Amino acid sequence: MNKIFPQLISAGAIIFIAIFAQYLTPFDPYEQNLARALTPPDSINLLGTDRYGRDILSRVIIGSQTTILSALALLAVISIFGSLIGAVCGFKGGKLDTFLMRLSDVFLAFPQMVFAIAAAGALGGGLFNAALALALIGWTKYARISRSLTLTIRKMPYIDAAKLAGTSSFGILINHVLPNIAGPILVTAALDIGTIIMELAGLSFLGLGAMPPTAEWGAMMNNGRSMLQTASWVILAPGFAIFLTVAIFNLLGDALRDVLDVKNR
Amino acid sequence: MILEVRHVKKSFNGRAVLDDINFSVDAGECVGIVGRSGCGKSTLAKIIARLIDYDSGEIFIDGELQMIFQMPEDSFNPRKTLGWSIAEPMKNRDFKNIPARVSDLLLEVGLPADYAKKYPHEVSGGECQRAAIARAISVNPKILICDEATSALDVTIQAQIINLLKKLCREKKIACLFITHDLNLLPKIADRVIVLHGGKIVDENSTAEIFKNAKSPFTKELIEGGLFWKI
Ligand SMILES: Nc1ncnc2c1ncn2[C@@H]1O[C@H](COP(=O)(O)OP(=O)(O)OP(=O)(O)O)[C@@H](O)[C@H]1O
Ligand SMILES: [Mg+2]
């Protein structure tokens, strides 16, 4: 447990900030103050202000809510939905399996980000549509992983033992298959948080995700793009926030992988 | 008669693995099935246990059938305690007082009752196999199939498990189908021996007779430990 404690604390802190962002901002993140526009970091605006004089620290804090909570929600949906599909396919086999796996082949044939850009564009932008675009392609990875894990587990003697015990197919799926694929899926999901945050921010950066004036890290970076040389803090603050968050969740994923390995417990 | 196997055939990808198997097992009797690796012993066990389908023939079973597997640790879900797994067949049959029965069963197979709380990776292979025996006898089976149940264990533990199986089968009048590639284990437990080779029964006799009077060259090979130099 000690191995994972620092990672859990840091990830927990970030999620805490995201949930209670409203109460943690020193200034109103949306209030404009043109007199102080593009002020470099000082004792009042710790991370400086943007071109409308809005406090960047407050916007980074409130932006964590948009970026992290939507990434986590998206991840929860695709990992649960994808794994269930994969487990049922792997366990039941047959036509359903063939159909869903060919469908996921089709999705996997596109580079993920290219597909997401196209889909988000076609859906008309906005944070929800950006998340939907990522979900459309994101579930396939979980379906694949959980299917192949299920195929291995299905051959284990304890599945035969459960059949002899008289447990139904549904009971076997719930009690024997899912608990044994949950660990690897959780690790995959934890390692995916960073990617999803980057992809959501990336779509916003491209103008296909969160719309102004919503404070979202990718959109904030886009705003600061033209001022990289004159007012670099505008782009560096959200950029560093993305970097830190992605790094922390990736470290958490690595630590989870070590801890959840049954044999190493 | 507790088990009757009639004209059972099974092939995988067009290759016959079991070719017209016929035998029967009486109540309380222990029959050894022996043969070289790959001769279809596990396939036969799984067919009798209805874990895989067969191509043709008939199988009659009179009463509950349970099975014990080769790899003790793999026959338990690693995410569940031994107690949970031992209780599973009883839960599905609406037994009463299950926790108390789990404790009794553990004691019966020579394990402390608090092993119910342990996970499979926390106990030794021999202990795990004892727990598997507890799970199998929990629902009062009439026949127990042991597929290489002692092959993964070292020699002293092997003898303990065989003695435990023998004692329990005697006491509870459970018939036993003891499957092994090692003919020399059978005098300790089996009343009768069936020798499988190439998907057919090539020899069948009482355990004492099979050693004195082997009818098939394959039986002789197994007696001489031919298995070892064949590998
Ligand atoms: N699902 C399967 N698909 C194809 N071939 C199979 C399958 N299961 C078993 N076989 C083949 O059937 C033959 C018999 O296998 P089986 O596992 O019954 O042998 P065995 O006598 O139990 O061997 P061992 O002593 O090594 O356990 C083997 O040649 C094996 O390759
Ligand atoms: Mg076998």
Side-chain angles (χ1 to χ4, degrees), chain A residues 158 165 167 175-176 180 262, chain B residues 66 74 77-79 88 92-93:
Chain A
Y158 63 80
T167 305
N175 285 316
H176 298 282
N180 283 292
V262 184
Chain B
Q66 283 296 322
D74 289 348
N77 183 337
R79 299 270 164 206
E88 190 179 14
N92 290 330
R93 289 164 182 77

Side-chain angles (χ1 to χ4, degrees), chain A residues 207-221:
Chain A
L208 292 166
M211 295 294 172
T214 311
E216 196 278 340
W217 293 344
M220 287 169 70
M221 285 184 78

Side-chain angles (χ1 to χ4, degrees), chain B residues 26 43 47 53 56 58 67 76 81-82 95 101 103 108 115 118 122 127 134 141 150 152 168 170 172 194 197 208 220:
Chain B
D26 283 331
T43 306
I47 284 176
D53 291 332
S56 61
E58 285 167 310
M67 190 159 167
F76 284 94
T81 59
L82 294 177
F95 276 52
R101 287 187 59 95
S103 302
E108 211 168 348
Y115 266 49
K118 289 194 185 269
E122 295 173 335
E127 290 168 334
T150 62
L168 290 170
R170 290 258 159 86
K172 297 175 184 290
I194 289 172
H197 184 88
K220 292 197 185 99

Side-chain angles (χ1 to χ4, degrees), chain B residues 15 33 38 44 60 75 91 100-101 111 118 123 132 140-141 143 145 152 155 168-169 179 185 194 209-210 213 220:
Chain B
R15 192 172 60 90
I33 294 192
L44 180 60
F60 302 98
S75 68
K91 273 189 254 163
R101 287 187 59 95
L111 292 175
K118 289 194 185 269
V123 306
N140 309 318
I143 180 160
I145 300 182
V155 184
L168 290 170
C169 287
I179 297 176
L185 288 181
I194 289 172
E209 275 302 303
I210 211 117
N213 184 9
K220 292 197 185 99

Side-chain angles (χ1 to χ4, degrees), chain A residues 151-236:
Chain A
L151 285 178
T152 315
I153 287 171
R154 202 175 68 166
K155 295 201 195 79
M156 294 299 288
Y158 63 80
I159 298 297
D160 282 340
K163 287 180 186 164
L164 282 168
T167 305
S168 65
S169 293
F170 181 74
I172 291 178
L173 199 62
I174 297 293
N175 285 316
H176 298 282
V177 177
L178 291 181
N180 283 292
I181 66 175
I185 297 278
L186 205 61
V187 173
T188 310
L191 286 169
D192 227 14
I193 298 177
T195 316
I196 300 258
I197 288 175
M198 289 220 274
E199 286 171 345
L200 268 179
L203 287 176
S204 298
F205 182 80
L206 294 172
L208 292 166
M211 295 294 172
T214 311
E216 196 278 340
W217 293 344
M220 287 169 70
M221 285 184 78
N222 188 14
N223 287 337
R225 195 168 37 107
S226 56
M227 297 173 277
L228 185 56
Q229 262 127 33
T230 51
S232 55
W233 60 89
V234 178
I235 192 165
L236 286 183

